[in-house]
Structure formats: structure tokens, C-alpha cells
Amino acid sequence: RGELDLVISDLRMPTLGGREFYEALRERAPEMAARLVFSTGDTVRDDTLAFLERLGRPWLHKPFRLAELRDLLWRADRGRAA
């Protein structure tokens, strides 16, 4: 039951989509929803991009490189510290 620093979730999942996961997490644990980062290959759709921009959280476009993941982790950590 230790505290998580960050949760990385795919936006498109079979049973519970990323948006639904975010909404459920926001209701149950808003502090964790603020630490949620999405990974997706679907930024072409306007609604997907609008959702990601509305959250104002860093996100990864798949496929991503290790350097991009490191950068995201650094930015997420800076945002939490601010």
C-alpha cells in the first residue's frame, strides 16, 4: 500500500478505456489521478488530443524511446515538486 509516484496507463484498453480509468481514479483517489500519465498512439483523433490537453499532464506518444520516458519522468517530478 505504498504511495505511487506516477501511474502510466495506455489510453486505449479493451475493457476499461483510459478516459474511464482516469474518471474512476479521479473519483476514488484524486491525488493519484493527478499523477496519471497516458501513453497512446492515437493522437490523430481530435477528441483524444483535446482530452490529453485538457488534463494538462505529460503524455507519451507510442512508440516512444527510453529518452522520451526519462524526459516525461523528469517533467512529472518537476510538476509534483512545484
Side-chain angles (χ1 to χ4, degrees):
R1 296 212 111 212
E3 186 174 309
L4 300 174
D5 293 323
L6 188 72
V7 175
I8 301 175
S9 173
D10 201 319
L11 194 56
R12 302 277 182 228
M13 299 181 287
T15 306
L16 180 68
R19 294 175 200 218
E20 295 83 9
F21 175 61
Y22 170 76
E23 293 300 330
L25 194 58
R26 191 178 70 163
E27 286 181 22
R28 294 181 185 149
E31 69 285 351
M32 283 309 304
R35 296 184 204 145
L36 183 61
V37 171
F38 285 106
S39 172
T40 185
D42 181 24
T43 55
V44 178
R45 291 178 41 182
D46 289 339
D47 63 324
T48 299
L49 192 54
F51 172 75
L52 292 169
E53 289 176 349
R54 179 175 57 86
L55 291 183
R57 299 285 304 148
W59 52 275
L60 290 167
H61 187 272
K62 295 188 302 186
F64 55 86
R65 296 172 302 149
L66 183 56
E68 292 170 304
L69 176 60
R70 285 184 186 136
D71 180 60
L72 176 135
L73 294 173
W74 180 82
R75 287 183 292 133
D77 185 54
R78 297 276 304 186
R80 190 181 72 233

